[in-house]
Amino acid sequence: MELLDKLKILADAAKYDVSCSSSGSNKKNKKDGLGNSCYSGICHSWADDGRCISLLKILFTNHCIYDCTYCINRVSNAVPRATFTPDELVDITINFYKRNYIEGLFLSSAVLKNPNYTMELMLEAVRKLREQENFNGYIHLKAIPGADNYLIERAGKYVDRMSVNIEFPSERSLKLLAPQKERETIIRPMSFISSKIIEGIEDKRKYKKAFDFVPAGQTTQLIVGATPDNDANILRLSEALYKRFSLKRVYYSAYVPVSSHPNLPSISAPPLVREHRLYQADWLLRFYGFNAHELLNETHQNFDIDLDPKCDWALRNIHLFPVEVNYADYELLLRIPGVGVKSARRIIASRRFGSLDYADLNKLGVVLKRARYFITCKGRYYGGINMDVHSIKEQLLINAKNSRSLDSGEQVSLFSLYPDLLSTGDKLSSITGEL
Amino acid sequence: MLYYFYDGSFDGLLTAIYQAYYRGETPSRIVAAGDFQESLLAEKVYIRTETEQSQRVYVSIQTKISRQALRNVFYVYLSELPDAGTWIYEYLRLGWKIGKEFDRMLSDGRVLRVHKISQRVNGERHRMMGLIRFRCLEGNIYYAPISPQYNIVGLVIPHFLDRFPGQNWIIHDVNRKIGVFYNGETWSLGDMDLENEIELSNGEKLYQSLWKEYFKSIAIKDRVNPKLQKRNLPVRYWRFLIEKGQ
Ligand code: SF4
C-alpha cells in the first residue's frame, strides 16, 4: 500500500481524539539534535473544522481485535485498514518536523494481534525517533490498555506525555460498549504511570542524571454522551483522577455517532454544549477551589445547558450572595460568577491602595455582565433588578443570548479547539473567559 | 510645526530622539524619510544617523527606564507603521520622566498605544513560529518564504536556531526582500532577492502531498467551520502554507 493511503486511513481514524495539546514540556535541544519543545505550545495550522493542528496525530494501526461498539475501528466494522512500519512513521515524523509542519507526534493505536505486540511496535517507533534520529520534539503516546508494565515503563523514558483513555465514567458502561476492555486494564497502567512519575521526580532530586519519566505528565480522555452516565458521575470521576493519579488533564470528547447499535443512543449530532459545560466545570475543580459535590449531586445531576456551571452553582446558593468585593477574601471572590483567577488576584492587589469603586471592577477584568447580580461594591447593589433567583436567571439568559448571537454560536466546544496553550493560573482567563 | 526625518533604520530613529533632546526641541512628528506625504507648513529637519548617539539612547532606555520598554520600542519600530517613530518618541519621553513604573499607566494613551502595537507584533512573531513552512531544496537547504505584516523575520531567529541547529535553512521575507541565512553554524540577516526559480529536492513533493493529505484527513467533517478557521488563521497567511496554497 502507498504511504499516502496509509497516512490517510490512519490520520482519519485518529482525529476523534480531542487532545492536541503539546505543552508542559520545556526541553532544550541537545547539541546536534533535532528540535526542542516550546513551553507555550505552538499551533502550526488550523484544520477545516477550526481546530489547532500542533502534533502529527495518528494511529499506528487501525486493525483491531476488539469490538468496542462506539468505535469506527471495531473489528466488526467494514473500513479500510492499514498499519505503519516503525520506520515509515519515523520518516514521516522527522520530515514533517524538519519542514516545521508540526511540534511533534501524538501516537495512538488500535490493538493489532494483542496489546503487547502493538505496544512493542509503538515503542520501537519512539525509540528510533529519540535514539537514532536524535529527535527532541514533543511526543505524546497513548498506552495500550492491557500491555505489560515493563513496556509502559520503557516507553515512558522516551516520551513527554503518556495517556490511557478511561473511555467511560462507569464500569457498567464500559461492559456495555467495550466488552473486551476491563476497567482494571485501564486503571492499572494509569496508576503505574503515576507512581513512575513520582519515582522519577525523586530520583531526579537525588542524582541529576536520572531519566525524566513522562515529564509533561499523564492525561486521559473520556467520551461524553454515548452512555446514560450523568454529569455528576463524570465530574466525580475526574475529581478522583486528579487526586489519585495527579493527572495533568482530563479531556472530554463529545460522542460522535459513528454507528447504530441498540446499546448506543441515537443522536444526530455530538453533544458539544455538554462537552463545553464539563470543561468549564473541570476548570472550576482545578483552579477555583470547587469540589465536584458542590457543583453536582444527587438532586442536581446534570449541568444546565443554558448556564455556565458557576452561574448555575451561584443561583442554587443565592444565600451566599451578594458578596462585598471590598471585603471578600480570595476564595470567596473566586466564587463570584464573572470573577476569574486573574481578576480576583487583581482585586486583592488593588484593594491595598484603597477601596474599589464599581467603575474600577471593569478595568480589573471582572465581567460585570455576570458579576453585577452577585456583588455589592461599597455596600451598594448594582444589579438593577430584584436579587432573587428568578430575576437573575432571566437576566443572565438574556445576556448570554445576546453575546451568542454576536458570535453565531461558535464558542461552543471552545475547549477542544484550543491546545493546552497556557497552563498556569495567570493566563487562564484568555482561554476560559472569566467564569 | 516641526518634523524630523530619519533614514528608516532603528539607529536613525534613536539618533533623532537624541537630537531632539540635545537641541532642546520637541518635534511634533518623527518619520522615516520615504514614509511621509509632503506638508508645506511644517519645518523639516533631516537627521543624519550617528551610531554613537543612537547607542547612548539605547543604553539610556535600558538603564533609566527598563528592558521591557526597550523591547516595546523595538517591536513598535518593527511594525513599520507610519506614525511608529512619533509614538515611540512620546512614549519614551514619558518613560524618562516617570521611570519604569510608567508601563503600568495603561490609561495614558501614549503608553497604551505602544503596548497594543508591541503586542500585535509579538503576536505575529509567535504565530509565524508555527506558520513558517520550509521546503527542502536541492543541496539540502530548507527554504521558507514568508510575507508577514510586520517586520518580524529577525525575531524568529532564536527559535529556529534552537529547533534546527544542524540544518541549513533560510527564511525569506519576500515583500521586504530580506532573509535570514543559517548554515548549521552561523547565521546572518541581510538583503535577499531570488532571481532564479528555486529547485525542490527529490523527496520534497512527496512530503508536501503527505502533509496536504494529513491536513485534509484530520478535520472532522461534521464540525467544518470556515469562519473559525479564518479567525485563527487569517487568509493573508495562506499564500505560503503548503496545505492552503496552490
Ligand atoms: S480497542 Fe480501541 S481501536 Fe479497538 S475497537 Fe476498541 S476503541 Fe476502537
Side-chain angles (χ1 to χ4, degrees), chain A residues 7 29 35-36 44-46 48-49 57 91 95 99-100 103 408, chain B residues 129-130 132-134 162-163 204 207 210 214 220 225 227 229 243:
Chain A
L7 180 88
N29 196 352
N36 55 0
H44 285 256
S45 197
W46 281 267
D48 291 339
D49 55 16
K57 187 190 293 182
D91 183 61
N95 276 290
R99 287 165 178 73
N100 204 42
E103 281 300 288
S408 61
Chain B
M129 296 191 330
I132 281 175
R133 295 284 179 273
F134 291 98
D162 195 31
R163 178 152 295 197
E204 180 58 24
Y207 295 110
L210 285 171
Y214 177 72
I220 296 180
N225 191 340
K227 241 171 99 183
Q229 185 188 36
E243 65 271 28

PDB file of all heavy atoms in Angstrom, chain A residues 7 29 35-36 44-46 48-49 57 91 95 99-100 103 408, chain B residues 129-130 132-134 162-163 204 207 210 214 220 225 227 229 243:
ATOM      1  N   LEU A   7      -1.384   6.927   5.390  1.00  0.00           N
ATOM      2  CA  LEU A   7      -1.500   8.157   6.168  1.00  0.00           C
ATOM      3  C   LEU A   7      -2.952   8.603   6.238  1.00  0.00           C
ATOM      4  O   LEU A   7      -3.465   8.992   7.287  1.00  0.00           O
ATOM      5  CB  LEU A   7      -0.647   9.260   5.543  1.00  0.00           C
ATOM      6  CG  LEU A   7      -0.694  10.588   6.277  1.00  0.00           C
ATOM      7  CD1 LEU A   7       0.369  10.626   7.359  1.00  0.00           C
ATOM      8  CD2 LEU A   7      -0.502  11.753   5.336  1.00  0.00           C
ATOM      9  N   ASN A  29      17.104  21.731  23.279  1.00  0.00           N
ATOM     10  CA  ASN A  29      17.681  20.849  22.302  1.00  0.00           C
ATOM     11  C   ASN A  29      19.068  20.433  22.749  1.00  0.00           C
ATOM     12  O   ASN A  29      19.845  21.230  23.212  1.00  0.00           O
ATOM     13  CB  ASN A  29      17.775  21.572  20.965  1.00  0.00           C
ATOM     14  CG  ASN A  29      17.991  20.605  19.835  1.00  0.00           C
ATOM     15  OD1 ASN A  29      18.217  19.427  20.051  1.00  0.00           O
ATOM     16  ND2 ASN A  29      17.925  21.104  18.637  1.00  0.00           N
ATOM     17  N   GLY A  35      15.383  19.638  17.160  1.00  0.00           N
ATOM     18  CA  GLY A  35      14.164  20.070  17.793  1.00  0.00           C
ATOM     19  C   GLY A  35      14.260  20.376  19.267  1.00  0.00           C
ATOM     20  O   GLY A  35      15.203  20.042  19.959  1.00  0.00           O
ATOM     21  N   ASN A  36      13.227  21.072  19.719  1.00  0.00           N
ATOM     22  CA  ASN A  36      13.088  21.409  21.118  1.00  0.00           C
ATOM     23  C   ASN A  36      11.594  21.343  21.375  1.00  0.00           C
ATOM     24  O   ASN A  36      10.807  21.208  20.467  1.00  0.00           O
ATOM     25  CB  ASN A  36      13.620  22.816  21.389  1.00  0.00           C
ATOM     26  CG  ASN A  36      12.963  23.849  20.508  1.00  0.00           C
ATOM     27  OD1 ASN A  36      12.093  23.524  19.687  1.00  0.00           O
ATOM     28  ND2 ASN A  36      13.366  25.086  20.642  1.00  0.00           N
ATOM     29  N   HIS A  44       0.460  25.025  14.488  1.00  0.00           N
ATOM     30  CA  HIS A  44       1.073  25.116  13.163  1.00  0.00           C
ATOM     31  C   HIS A  44       0.055  25.344  12.061  1.00  0.00           C
ATOM     32  O   HIS A  44       0.377  25.865  11.008  1.00  0.00           O
ATOM     33  CB  HIS A  44       1.906  23.871  12.882  1.00  0.00           C
ATOM     34  CG  HIS A  44       3.191  23.883  13.640  1.00  0.00           C
ATOM     35  ND1 HIS A  44       4.389  24.161  13.052  1.00  0.00           N
ATOM     36  CD2 HIS A  44       3.458  23.708  14.956  1.00  0.00           C
ATOM     37  CE1 HIS A  44       5.352  24.142  13.974  1.00  0.00           C
ATOM     38  NE2 HIS A  44       4.797  23.863  15.134  1.00  0.00           N
ATOM     39  N   SER A  45      -1.155  24.928  12.306  1.00  0.00           N
ATOM     40  CA  SER A  45      -2.180  25.222  11.320  1.00  0.00           C
ATOM     41  C   SER A  45      -3.533  25.056  11.995  1.00  0.00           C
ATOM     42  O   SER A  45      -3.605  24.656  13.165  1.00  0.00           O
ATOM     43  CB  SER A  45      -2.050  24.287  10.119  1.00  0.00           C
ATOM     44  OG  SER A  45      -2.776  24.812   9.030  1.00  0.00           O
ATOM     45  N   TRP A  46      -4.573  25.361  11.261  1.00  0.00           N
ATOM     46  CA  TRP A  46      -5.911  25.140  11.770  1.00  0.00           C
ATOM     47  C   TRP A  46      -6.692  24.394  10.710  1.00  0.00           C
ATOM     48  O   TRP A  46      -6.798  24.847   9.574  1.00  0.00           O
ATOM     49  CB  TRP A  46      -6.576  26.473  12.123  1.00  0.00           C
ATOM     50  CG  TRP A  46      -6.117  27.010  13.431  1.00  0.00           C
ATOM     51  CD1 TRP A  46      -6.698  26.819  14.647  1.00  0.00           C
ATOM     52  CD2 TRP A  46      -4.945  27.824  13.697  1.00  0.00           C
ATOM     53  NE1 TRP A  46      -5.974  27.456  15.635  1.00  0.00           N
ATOM     54  CE2 TRP A  46      -4.910  28.073  15.083  1.00  0.00           C
ATOM     55  CE3 TRP A  46      -3.942  28.352  12.885  1.00  0.00           C
ATOM     56  CZ2 TRP A  46      -3.910  28.835  15.675  1.00  0.00           C
ATOM     57  CZ3 TRP A  46      -2.947  29.107  13.474  1.00  0.00           C
ATOM     58  CH2 TRP A  46      -2.927  29.342  14.852  1.00  0.00           C
ATOM     59  N   ASP A  48      -9.930  22.417   8.777  1.00  0.00           N
ATOM     60  CA  ASP A  48     -11.189  22.969   8.282  1.00  0.00           C
ATOM     61  C   ASP A  48     -12.274  23.026   9.350  1.00  0.00           C
ATOM     62  O   ASP A  48     -13.250  23.753   9.213  1.00  0.00           O
ATOM     63  CB  ASP A  48     -11.696  22.153   7.083  1.00  0.00           C
ATOM     64  CG  ASP A  48     -10.793  22.346   5.866  1.00  0.00           C
ATOM     65  OD1 ASP A  48     -10.059  23.364   5.835  1.00  0.00           O
ATOM     66  OD2 ASP A  48     -10.812  21.494   4.968  1.00  0.00           O
ATOM     67  N   ASP A  49     -12.119  22.257  10.411  1.00  0.00           N
ATOM     68  CA  ASP A  49     -13.098  22.366  11.500  1.00  0.00           C
ATOM     69  C   ASP A  49     -12.669  23.422  12.521  1.00  0.00           C
ATOM     70  O   ASP A  49     -13.289  23.573  13.558  1.00  0.00           O
ATOM     71  CB  ASP A  49     -13.322  21.004  12.180  1.00  0.00           C
ATOM     72  CG  ASP A  49     -12.016  20.387  12.663  1.00  0.00           C
ATOM     73  OD1 ASP A  49     -10.997  21.113  12.746  1.00  0.00           O
ATOM     74  OD2 ASP A  49     -12.003  19.178  12.952  1.00  0.00           O
ATOM     75  N   LYS A  57      -1.056  13.748  14.653  1.00  0.00           N
ATOM     76  CA  LYS A  57      -1.885  12.881  15.486  1.00  0.00           C
ATOM     77  C   LYS A  57      -2.305  11.694  14.644  1.00  0.00           C
ATOM     78  O   LYS A  57      -3.021  11.854  13.659  1.00  0.00           O
ATOM     79  CB  LYS A  57      -3.108  13.683  15.944  1.00  0.00           C
ATOM     80  CG  LYS A  57      -3.953  12.974  16.942  1.00  0.00           C
ATOM     81  CD  LYS A  57      -5.243  13.707  17.172  1.00  0.00           C
ATOM     82  CE  LYS A  57      -5.032  15.046  17.847  1.00  0.00           C
ATOM     83  NZ  LYS A  57      -6.329  15.698  18.103  1.00  0.00           N
ATOM     84  N   ASP A  91      10.039   8.231   9.584  1.00  0.00           N
ATOM     85  CA  ASP A  91      10.347   9.056   8.414  1.00  0.00           C
ATOM     86  C   ASP A  91       9.353  10.209   8.249  1.00  0.00           C
ATOM     87  O   ASP A  91       9.734  11.353   8.034  1.00  0.00           O
ATOM     88  CB  ASP A  91      10.340   8.157   7.174  1.00  0.00           C
ATOM     89  CG  ASP A  91      10.720   8.929   5.926  1.00  0.00           C
ATOM     90  OD1 ASP A  91      11.850   9.455   5.894  1.00  0.00           O
ATOM     91  OD2 ASP A  91       9.882   9.043   5.012  1.00  0.00           O
ATOM     92  N   ASN A  95      10.379  14.180   8.786  1.00  0.00           N
ATOM     93  CA  ASN A  95      10.288  15.089   7.649  1.00  0.00           C
ATOM     94  C   ASN A  95       9.224  16.170   7.823  1.00  0.00           C
ATOM     95  O   ASN A  95       9.387  17.283   7.344  1.00  0.00           O
ATOM     96  CB  ASN A  95      10.076  14.306   6.350  1.00  0.00           C
ATOM     97  CG  ASN A  95      11.406  13.817   5.810  1.00  0.00           C
ATOM     98  OD1 ASN A  95      12.219  14.607   5.336  1.00  0.00           O
ATOM     99  ND2 ASN A  95      11.659  12.528   5.945  1.00  0.00           N
ATOM    100  N   ARG A  99      10.277  20.410   8.298  1.00  0.00           N
ATOM    101  CA  ARG A  99       9.635  21.436   7.476  1.00  0.00           C
ATOM    102  C   ARG A  99       8.772  22.376   8.310  1.00  0.00           C
ATOM    103  O   ARG A  99       8.050  23.203   7.778  1.00  0.00           O
ATOM    104  CB  ARG A  99       8.800  20.758   6.393  1.00  0.00           C
ATOM    105  CG  ARG A  99       9.649  20.151   5.299  1.00  0.00           C
ATOM    106  CD  ARG A  99       8.897  19.176   4.414  1.00  0.00           C
ATOM    107  NE  ARG A  99       9.770  18.672   3.359  1.00  0.00           N
ATOM    108  CZ  ARG A  99      10.754  17.794   3.540  1.00  0.00           C
ATOM    109  NH1 ARG A  99      10.974  17.303   4.738  1.00  0.00           N
ATOM    110  NH2 ARG A  99      11.506  17.411   2.530  1.00  0.00           N
ATOM    111  N   ASN A 100       8.815  22.168   9.611  1.00  0.00           N
ATOM    112  CA  ASN A 100       8.042  22.992  10.542  1.00  0.00           C
ATOM    113  C   ASN A 100       6.528  22.867  10.364  1.00  0.00           C
ATOM    114  O   ASN A 100       5.772  23.797  10.573  1.00  0.00           O
ATOM    115  CB  ASN A 100       8.452  24.464  10.451  1.00  0.00           C
ATOM    116  CG  ASN A 100       8.140  25.230  11.729  1.00  0.00           C
ATOM    117  OD1 ASN A 100       8.344  24.740  12.827  1.00  0.00           O
ATOM    118  ND2 ASN A 100       7.617  26.441  11.577  1.00  0.00           N
ATOM    119  N   GLU A 103       4.755  20.231  15.813  1.00  0.00           N
ATOM    120  CA  GLU A 103       5.555  20.310  17.038  1.00  0.00           C
ATOM    121  C   GLU A 103       6.064  18.948  17.474  1.00  0.00           C
ATOM    122  O   GLU A 103       6.944  18.857  18.333  1.00  0.00           O
ATOM    123  CB  GLU A 103       4.704  20.842  18.197  1.00  0.00           C
ATOM    124  CG  GLU A 103       4.502  22.322  18.224  1.00  0.00           C
ATOM    125  CD  GLU A 103       5.808  23.068  18.337  1.00  0.00           C
ATOM    126  OE1 GLU A 103       6.432  23.058  19.402  1.00  0.00           O
ATOM    127  OE2 GLU A 103       6.197  23.662  17.314  1.00  0.00           O
ATOM    128  N   SER A 408     -22.316  34.016  16.686  1.00  0.00           N
ATOM    129  CA  SER A 408     -23.031  32.941  15.997  1.00  0.00           C
ATOM    130  C   SER A 408     -22.694  31.543  16.527  1.00  0.00           C
ATOM    131  O   SER A 408     -22.369  30.634  15.778  1.00  0.00           O
ATOM    132  CB  SER A 408     -22.816  33.012  14.485  1.00  0.00           C
ATOM    133  OG  SER A 408     -21.464  32.867  14.168  1.00  0.00           O
TER     134      SER A 408
ATOM    135  N   MET B 129       6.069  31.460  14.172  1.00  0.00           N
ATOM    136  CA  MET B 129       6.860  30.303  14.582  1.00  0.00           C
ATOM    137  C   MET B 129       6.148  29.013  14.173  1.00  0.00           C
ATOM    138  O   MET B 129       6.780  28.012  13.886  1.00  0.00           O
ATOM    139  CB  MET B 129       7.095  30.311  16.091  1.00  0.00           C
ATOM    140  CG  MET B 129       7.919  31.518  16.492  1.00  0.00           C
ATOM    141  SD  MET B 129       8.571  31.571  18.162  1.00  0.00           S
ATOM    142  CE  MET B 129       7.442  30.688  19.162  1.00  0.00           C
ATOM    143  N   GLY B 130       4.820  29.068  14.152  1.00  0.00           N
ATOM    144  CA  GLY B 130       4.072  27.903  13.702  1.00  0.00           C
ATOM    145  C   GLY B 130       3.845  27.865  12.203  1.00  0.00           C
ATOM    146  O   GLY B 130       3.798  26.811  11.600  1.00  0.00           O
ATOM    147  N   ILE B 132       5.557  29.235   9.572  1.00  0.00           N
ATOM    148  CA  ILE B 132       6.656  29.159   8.608  1.00  0.00           C
ATOM    149  C   ILE B 132       6.741  27.732   8.064  1.00  0.00           C
ATOM    150  O   ILE B 132       6.663  26.774   8.820  1.00  0.00           O
ATOM    151  CB  ILE B 132       7.973  29.596   9.286  1.00  0.00           C
ATOM    152  CG1 ILE B 132       8.011  31.123   9.352  1.00  0.00           C
ATOM    153  CG2 ILE B 132       9.178  29.038   8.556  1.00  0.00           C
ATOM    154  CD1 ILE B 132       9.198  31.683  10.098  1.00  0.00           C
ATOM    155  N   ARG B 133       6.842  27.609   6.746  1.00  0.00           N
ATOM    156  CA  ARG B 133       6.936  26.287   6.122  1.00  0.00           C
ATOM    157  C   ARG B 133       8.214  26.193   5.310  1.00  0.00           C
ATOM    158  O   ARG B 133       8.400  26.963   4.368  1.00  0.00           O
ATOM    159  CB  ARG B 133       5.754  26.048   5.175  1.00  0.00           C
ATOM    160  CG  ARG B 133       4.410  25.982   5.833  1.00  0.00           C
ATOM    161  CD  ARG B 133       4.193  24.656   6.538  1.00  0.00           C
ATOM    162  NE  ARG B 133       2.893  24.656   7.187  1.00  0.00           N
ATOM    163  CZ  ARG B 133       2.681  25.131   8.417  1.00  0.00           C
ATOM    164  NH1 ARG B 133       3.668  25.612   9.124  1.00  0.00           N
ATOM    165  NH2 ARG B 133       1.469  25.121   8.929  1.00  0.00           N
ATOM    166  N   PHE B 134       9.035  25.240   5.678  1.00  0.00           N
ATOM    167  CA  PHE B 134      10.257  25.053   4.910  1.00  0.00           C
ATOM    168  C   PHE B 134      10.025  24.084   3.762  1.00  0.00           C
ATOM    169  O   PHE B 134       9.255  23.136   3.892  1.00  0.00           O
ATOM    170  CB  PHE B 134      11.365  24.496   5.805  1.00  0.00           C
ATOM    171  CG  PHE B 134      11.850  25.478   6.826  1.00  0.00           C
ATOM    172  CD1 PHE B 134      11.371  25.441   8.131  1.00  0.00           C
ATOM    173  CD2 PHE B 134      12.774  26.453   6.482  1.00  0.00           C
ATOM    174  CE1 PHE B 134      11.812  26.352   9.078  1.00  0.00           C
ATOM    175  CE2 PHE B 134      13.222  27.367   7.425  1.00  0.00           C
ATOM    176  CZ  PHE B 134      12.737  27.322   8.723  1.00  0.00           C
ATOM    177  N   ASP B 162      17.367  27.272  17.812  1.00  0.00           N
ATOM    178  CA  ASP B 162      17.246  26.265  18.839  1.00  0.00           C
ATOM    179  C   ASP B 162      16.625  24.982  18.290  1.00  0.00           C
ATOM    180  O   ASP B 162      16.976  23.883  18.671  1.00  0.00           O
ATOM    181  CB  ASP B 162      16.390  26.826  19.984  1.00  0.00           C
ATOM    182  CG  ASP B 162      16.532  25.987  21.236  1.00  0.00           C
ATOM    183  OD1 ASP B 162      17.619  25.410  21.438  1.00  0.00           O
ATOM    184  OD2 ASP B 162      15.557  25.896  21.994  1.00  0.00           O
ATOM    185  N   ARG B 163      15.703  25.156  17.375  1.00  0.00           N
ATOM    186  CA  ARG B 163      14.985  23.997  16.877  1.00  0.00           C
ATOM    187  C   ARG B 163      15.749  23.220  15.814  1.00  0.00           C
ATOM    188  O   ARG B 163      15.721  21.998  15.799  1.00  0.00           O
ATOM    189  CB  ARG B 163      13.618  24.437  16.338  1.00  0.00           C
ATOM    190  CG  ARG B 163      12.830  23.287  15.770  1.00  0.00           C
ATOM    191  CD  ARG B 163      11.361  23.498  15.860  1.00  0.00           C
ATOM    192  NE  ARG B 163      10.907  23.551  17.253  1.00  0.00           N
ATOM    193  CZ  ARG B 163       9.638  23.403  17.620  1.00  0.00           C
ATOM    194  NH1 ARG B 163       8.714  23.215  16.712  1.00  0.00           N
ATOM    195  NH2 ARG B 163       9.297  23.469  18.880  1.00  0.00           N
ATOM    196  N   GLU B 204      10.834  16.234  -1.880  1.00  0.00           N
ATOM    197  CA  GLU B 204      10.006  17.321  -1.356  1.00  0.00           C
ATOM    198  C   GLU B 204       8.525  17.171  -1.685  1.00  0.00           C
ATOM    199  O   GLU B 204       7.666  17.310  -0.825  1.00  0.00           O
ATOM    200  CB  GLU B 204      10.546  18.658  -1.854  1.00  0.00           C
ATOM    201  CG  GLU B 204       9.772  19.870  -1.383  1.00  0.00           C
ATOM    202  CD  GLU B 204       9.682  20.008   0.132  1.00  0.00           C
ATOM    203  OE1 GLU B 204      10.553  19.457   0.831  1.00  0.00           O
ATOM    204  OE2 GLU B 204       8.726  20.642   0.609  1.00  0.00           O
ATOM    205  N   TYR B 207       6.588  14.696   0.565  1.00  0.00           N
ATOM    206  CA  TYR B 207       6.212  15.133   1.907  1.00  0.00           C
ATOM    207  C   TYR B 207       5.146  16.226   1.861  1.00  0.00           C
ATOM    208  O   TYR B 207       4.280  16.298   2.719  1.00  0.00           O
ATOM    209  CB  TYR B 207       7.443  15.557   2.704  1.00  0.00           C
ATOM    210  CG  TYR B 207       8.357  14.385   2.941  1.00  0.00           C
ATOM    211  CD1 TYR B 207       9.589  14.297   2.307  1.00  0.00           C
ATOM    212  CD2 TYR B 207       7.945  13.328   3.748  1.00  0.00           C
ATOM    213  CE1 TYR B 207      10.403  13.184   2.498  1.00  0.00           C
ATOM    214  CE2 TYR B 207       8.754  12.215   3.938  1.00  0.00           C
ATOM    215  CZ  TYR B 207       9.983  12.149   3.312  1.00  0.00           C
ATOM    216  OH  TYR B 207      10.772  11.052   3.501  1.00  0.00           O
ATOM    217  N   LEU B 210       1.953  14.383   1.385  1.00  0.00           N
ATOM    218  CA  LEU B 210       1.574  13.704   2.634  1.00  0.00           C
ATOM    219  C   LEU B 210       0.970  14.708   3.614  1.00  0.00           C
ATOM    220  O   LEU B 210      -0.038  14.451   4.267  1.00  0.00           O
ATOM    221  CB  LEU B 210       2.796  13.030   3.272  1.00  0.00           C
ATOM    222  CG  LEU B 210       3.302  11.743   2.619  1.00  0.00           C
ATOM    223  CD1 LEU B 210       4.638  11.329   3.221  1.00  0.00           C
ATOM    224  CD2 LEU B 210       2.291  10.613   2.760  1.00  0.00           C
ATOM    225  N   TYR B 214      -2.726  14.780   5.138  1.00  0.00           N
ATOM    226  CA  TYR B 214      -2.942  14.774   6.580  1.00  0.00           C
ATOM    227  C   TYR B 214      -3.880  15.907   6.977  1.00  0.00           C
ATOM    228  O   TYR B 214      -4.826  15.726   7.728  1.00  0.00           O
ATOM    229  CB  TYR B 214      -1.608  14.914   7.322  1.00  0.00           C
ATOM    230  CG  TYR B 214      -1.800  14.978   8.813  1.00  0.00           C
ATOM    231  CD1 TYR B 214      -2.162  13.843   9.520  1.00  0.00           C
ATOM    232  CD2 TYR B 214      -1.676  16.185   9.500  1.00  0.00           C
ATOM    233  CE1 TYR B 214      -2.376  13.898  10.883  1.00  0.00           C
ATOM    234  CE2 TYR B 214      -1.890  16.243  10.864  1.00  0.00           C
ATOM    235  CZ  TYR B 214      -2.239  15.100  11.550  1.00  0.00           C
ATOM    236  OH  TYR B 214      -2.468  15.158  12.903  1.00  0.00           O
ATOM    237  N   ILE B 220     -12.728  17.129  11.224  1.00  0.00           N
ATOM    238  CA  ILE B 220     -13.959  16.373  11.443  1.00  0.00           C
ATOM    239  C   ILE B 220     -15.058  16.990  10.582  1.00  0.00           C
ATOM    240  O   ILE B 220     -15.417  18.144  10.756  1.00  0.00           O
ATOM    241  CB  ILE B 220     -14.344  16.385  12.936  1.00  0.00           C
ATOM    242  CG1 ILE B 220     -13.251  15.661  13.749  1.00  0.00           C
ATOM    243  CG2 ILE B 220     -15.691  15.735  13.153  1.00  0.00           C
ATOM    244  CD1 ILE B 220     -13.508  15.595  15.234  1.00  0.00           C
ATOM    245  N   ASN B 225     -15.964  24.398   9.905  1.00  0.00           N
ATOM    246  CA  ASN B 225     -16.254  25.733  10.413  1.00  0.00           C
ATOM    247  C   ASN B 225     -15.268  26.749   9.820  1.00  0.00           C
ATOM    248  O   ASN B 225     -14.305  27.154  10.452  1.00  0.00           O
ATOM    249  CB  ASN B 225     -16.131  25.685  11.944  1.00  0.00           C
ATOM    250  CG  ASN B 225     -16.672  26.928  12.596  1.00  0.00           C
ATOM    251  OD1 ASN B 225     -16.804  27.970  11.940  1.00  0.00           O
ATOM    252  ND2 ASN B 225     -16.973  26.851  13.877  1.00  0.00           N
ATOM    253  N   LYS B 227     -15.446  29.845   9.237  1.00  0.00           N
ATOM    254  CA  LYS B 227     -15.315  31.134   9.906  1.00  0.00           C
ATOM    255  C   LYS B 227     -14.303  31.074  11.030  1.00  0.00           C
ATOM    256  O   LYS B 227     -13.450  31.942  11.192  1.00  0.00           O
ATOM    257  CB  LYS B 227     -16.671  31.541  10.495  1.00  0.00           C
ATOM    258  CG  LYS B 227     -17.186  32.836   9.895  1.00  0.00           C
ATOM    259  CD  LYS B 227     -18.596  33.102  10.309  1.00  0.00           C
ATOM    260  CE  LYS B 227     -18.678  34.086  11.459  1.00  0.00           C
ATOM    261  NZ  LYS B 227     -20.077  34.278  11.892  1.00  0.00           N
ATOM    262  N   GLN B 229     -11.967  28.847  11.313  1.00  0.00           N
ATOM    263  CA  GLN B 229     -10.656  28.594  10.719  1.00  0.00           C
ATOM    264  C   GLN B 229      -9.999  29.905  10.301  1.00  0.00           C
ATOM    265  O   GLN B 229      -8.836  30.156  10.579  1.00  0.00           O
ATOM    266  CB  GLN B 229     -10.797  27.670   9.514  1.00  0.00           C
ATOM    267  CG  GLN B 229      -9.446  27.272   8.936  1.00  0.00           C
ATOM    268  CD  GLN B 229      -9.583  26.512   7.631  1.00  0.00           C
ATOM    269  OE1 GLN B 229     -10.459  26.779   6.822  1.00  0.00           O
ATOM    270  NE2 GLN B 229      -8.709  25.537   7.423  1.00  0.00           N
ATOM    271  N   GLU B 243      -0.393  23.542   2.911  1.00  0.00           N
ATOM    272  CA  GLU B 243      -1.715  22.923   2.989  1.00  0.00           C
ATOM    273  C   GLU B 243      -2.811  23.819   2.448  1.00  0.00           C
ATOM    274  O   GLU B 243      -3.915  23.371   2.188  1.00  0.00           O
ATOM    275  CB  GLU B 243      -2.018  22.521   4.436  1.00  0.00           C
ATOM    276  CG  GLU B 243      -2.140  23.664   5.447  1.00  0.00           C
ATOM    277  CD  GLU B 243      -0.798  24.049   6.096  1.00  0.00           C
ATOM    278  OE1 GLU B 243       0.250  23.857   5.443  1.00  0.00           O
ATOM    279  OE2 GLU B 243      -0.817  24.550   7.239  1.00  0.00           O
TER     280      GLU B 243
END
